[in-house]
Amino acid sequence: MTGRLVALAALTAFAGWALVLGELPWFRRRSLVDRIGPYVSGSRGVSRRADTPTVRSATTWRELLEPFARQLGGRVAVLFGVTEPVAVRLRRVHSPLSSTEFRVRQLAWSGVGLVGGTLFATLLGLAGPLALLFVMGGPLLGFLVVEQGLATESDRWKRRLFLELPVVAEQLGMLLGAGYSLSAALSRLAERGRGACGRDLGRVCDRIGHGLTETAALREWAEVADVPAVHRLVNVLTLNRKAGDLGRLTSEEARSIRRELHRQLVATMERRGQQVWIPVTVAALVPGVIFLAVPFVEALRLFSEA
């Protein structure tokens, strides 16, 4: 066991020193793009950002850990099929964390998983592939638990947004029909709303207050929300300066969203109704198979004796 721990420590030390020495100029040759980038006007091909700390420019361990956690977390997430940027998902759920802070937390949980898996493998006296499975699976499990938590929260937020959208769209259509401007109607719904749509519309109003146009702020909301119904509603609202009956168009879109929601609810009820029959079918088939098996086995026994 001591030899395996020494080998694991040596492997970890080798990986750490490779990462550290890879940042030093005499171990890592700069690419041609990095060398000529500062002398090219308007160049965007520099591979290293100016604000990214290196080993020689960093003053704290946090400045070294954050870029490493961000790059490693992004690559592992892509490896498991997560292509949506973590910054978009964090913004969607109104999380106070930045993408770097989330990746650092993910790296911390991976470290906890590594320690836990190593302790379990040591206490259980495991060896060979089984011990390696615990040691490697611990940090991977910690990483995936945090990633899955964010994915679940994102899906839950999109579902809440879709359920609230018909009512909000109807209220928006009534306000527009009553003579409110688009920005005034959005502000009123943001002030009165307490759900997912209300918080999203509040951010839309804040972006308009920061200087964005109504169309740009609404399209930004649609991109972050990633809900097809929101995209359709935003496409209608962007006709604000072209259509004279925007209130009627918004009300029609609200009815369309409500019909889509009704179809989904009916489909869900039908699936659940079909799932009810699965345990009933199993409960009816198992005793029937047993009752058929008893005379069949007895017949085979009689034929063998004859």
Side-chain angles (χ1 to χ4, degrees):
M1 181 59 67
T2 303
R4 288 192 295 269
L5 292 178
V6 171
L8 180 61
L11 181 62
T12 305
F14 172 77
W17 277 109
L19 291 173
V20 172
L21 294 177
E23 297 291 335
L24 300 180
W26 50 83
F27 283 96
R28 178 178 180 270
R29 178 177 175 81
R30 297 178 63 195
S31 64
L32 179 63
V33 176
D34 288 335
R35 283 179 282 161
I36 69 175
Y39 306 99
V40 179
S41 176
S43 174
R44 296 184 180 180
V46 180
S47 61
R48 181 182 299 280
R49 291 171 21 184
D51 59 343
T52 302
T54 61
V55 172
R56 302 184 69 178
S57 63
T59 57
T60 62
W61 282 103
R62 185 179 182 85
E63 294 181 356
L64 287 174
L65 184 62
E66 288 179 349
F68 172 73
R70 185 169 57 247
Q71 295 177 6
L72 180 62
R75 291 178 180 177
V76 175
V78 171
L79 184 63
F80 282 91
V82 182
T83 57
E84 188 176 23
V86 66
V88 176
R89 287 177 287 161
L90 290 172
R91 190 179 181 190
R92 177 182 300 142
V93 300
H94 296 263
S95 174
L97 299 176
S98 65
S99 58
T100 302
E101 292 172 343
F102 177 80
R103 292 303 187 191
V104 170
R105 177 178 295 184
Q106 213 169 21
L107 184 63
W109 277 102
S110 298
V112 172
L114 175 62
V115 173
T118 305
L119 289 178
F120 271 109
T122 304
L123 293 176
L124 296 177
L126 302 177
L130 195 57
L132 183 63
L133 179 64
F134 270 83
V135 173
M136 299 299 294
L140 191 60
L141 180 62
F143 178 90
L144 293 178
V145 165
V146 180
E147 189 74 28
Q148 183 61 34
L150 179 59
T152 303
E153 189 176 359
S154 176
D155 293 339
R156 188 181 298 117
W157 186 270
K158 291 196 291 186
R159 181 62 180 174
R160 287 178 55 192
L161 191 64
F162 179 64
L163 293 176
E164 297 175 8
L165 196 60
V167 178
V168 173
E170 288 176 352
Q171 294 176 351
L172 184 59
M174 288 188 294
L175 291 175
L176 293 174
Y180 280 76
S181 65
L182 179 58
S183 58
L186 293 175
S187 299
R188 184 172 178 83
L189 291 178
E191 292 174 359
R192 296 168 60 91
R194 295 294 182 270
C197 283
R199 295 186 63 182
D200 282 0
L201 291 179
R203 185 164 57 190
V204 170
C205 294
D206 291 339
R207 296 291 289 167
I208 295 175
H210 292 161
L212 263 70
T213 62
E214 299 167 352
T215 301
L218 288 171
R219 292 193 184 279
E220 184 182 80
W221 173 40
E223 292 296 330
V224 173
D226 194 23
V227 177
V230 175
H231 280 276
R232 294 197 300 269
L233 179 61
V234 168
N235 289 334
V236 173
L237 295 178
T238 53
L239 301 175
N240 179 36
R241 302 187 182 277
K242 299 179 181 180
D245 52 351
L246 186 61
R248 182 181 61 84
L249 294 177
T250 305
S251 300
E252 291 179 357
E253 185 61 33
R255 287 191 290 270
S256 175
I257 297 173
R258 190 177 293 277
R259 286 193 296 268
E260 180 182 356
L261 178 60
H262 181 262
R263 287 194 296 268
Q264 289 189 7
L265 291 177
V266 171
T268 302
M269 292 174 61
E270 290 180 354
R271 286 196 300 269
R272 291 181 179 178
Q274 295 172 0
Q275 291 174 357
V276 170
W277 289 100
I278 295 178
V280 176
T281 305
V282 173
L285 288 177
V286 172
V289 171
I290 294 176
F291 288 141
L292 289 175
V294 171
F296 180 74
V297 173
E298 183 65 20
L300 290 179
R301 188 183 63 81
L302 293 176
F303 276 113
S304 62
E305 290 179 354

